[in-house]
């Protein structure tokens, strides 16, 4: 009997990690205000981050689907995607999610999102990316190492 599971053993669903940190940032803003100072153009920057993040994550997901594989870390990966945004970054979906997270915090006027972002990055790296990289290295070997 084969008990091997063909997917990354991701401890936390990545979108929920980003959403959780965003909720914490806004709860902290409500409890201990730490607002973004500056002119209205700063909010424009938040909107641009948000749009760029959705475009990056969306294009990465579309590229995975074009290659007939899944962006869901709980599903088996069929091929190693190297095209589109994967040509310039290993984790374009998570980079897009980070941009969306920061865009929402800027639009919400809170610096708490920036304060929490290093912890968010460490959480994603240790609980998600590490599991995915271990899985992909085991499944694709030298092709992934390159």
């Amino acid at each position: 009997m084969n008990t091997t599971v063909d997917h990354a053993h991701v401890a936390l669903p990545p979108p929920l990690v980003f959403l959780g940190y965003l909720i914490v940032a806004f709860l902290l803003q409500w409890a201990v205000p730490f607002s973004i100072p500056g002119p209205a153009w700063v909010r424009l920057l938040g909107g641009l981050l948000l749009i760029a993040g959705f475009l990056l994550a969306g294009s990465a997901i579309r590229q995975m689907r074009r290659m007939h594989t899944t962006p869901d870390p709980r599903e088996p990966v069929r091929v190693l995607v190297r095209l589109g945004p994967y040509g310039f970054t290993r984790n374009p979906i998570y980079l897009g999610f980070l941009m969306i997270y920061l865009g929402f915090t800027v639009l919400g006027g809170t610096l708490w999102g920036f304060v929490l972002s290093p912890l968010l990055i460490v959480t994603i790296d240790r609980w998600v990316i590490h599991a995915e990289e271990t899985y992909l290295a085991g499944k694709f070997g030298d092709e992934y190492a390159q």
Side-chain angles (χ1 to χ4, degrees), residues 10-25:
V10 173
L12 302 168
L16 293 182
V17 174
F18 285 94
L19 180 60
Y21 272 88
L22 186 61
I23 290 168
V24 169

Side-chain angles (χ1 to χ4, degrees), residues 79-82 136-137 139-146:
V79 296
L80 195 58
V81 180
R82 295 184 193 183
L136 292 171
K139 182 159 185 162
F140 296 104
D142 289 338
E143 182 183 3
Y144 178 74
Q146 293 175 1

Side-chain angles (χ1 to χ4, degrees), residues 11-124:
L12 302 168
L16 293 182
V17 174
F18 285 94
L19 180 60
Y21 272 88
L22 186 61
I23 290 168
V24 169
F26 282 110
L27 288 173
L28 283 169
Q29 179 66 20
W30 174 75
V32 183
F34 190 31
S35 299
I36 294 175
W41 66 264
V42 173
R43 298 288 195 269
L44 177 63
L45 177 63
L48 292 174
L49 271 170
L50 194 65
I51 291 167
F54 276 113
L55 289 173
L56 179 59
S59 69
I61 290 167
R62 276 190 305 281
Q63 187 62 45
M64 290 186 87
R65 293 204 171 122
R66 273 188 214 120
M67 301 293 294
H68 304 288
T69 194
T70 179
D72 187 344
R74 299 167 298 174
E75 298 290 327
V77 173
R78 292 186 177 88
V79 296
L80 195 58
V81 180
R82 295 184 193 183
L83 303 173
Y86 290 94
F88 66 88
T89 180
R90 184 178 273 190
N91 295 294
I93 295 173
Y94 302 142
L95 179 58
F97 284 178
L98 180 63
M99 293 166 71
I100 292 165
Y101 165 84
L102 292 173
F104 274 124
T105 62
V106 171
L107 287 173
T110 179
L111 284 170
W112 283 113
F114 288 92
V115 170
L116 293 173
S117 64
L119 186 56
L120 168 59
I121 292 167
V122 168
T123 302
I124 287 294

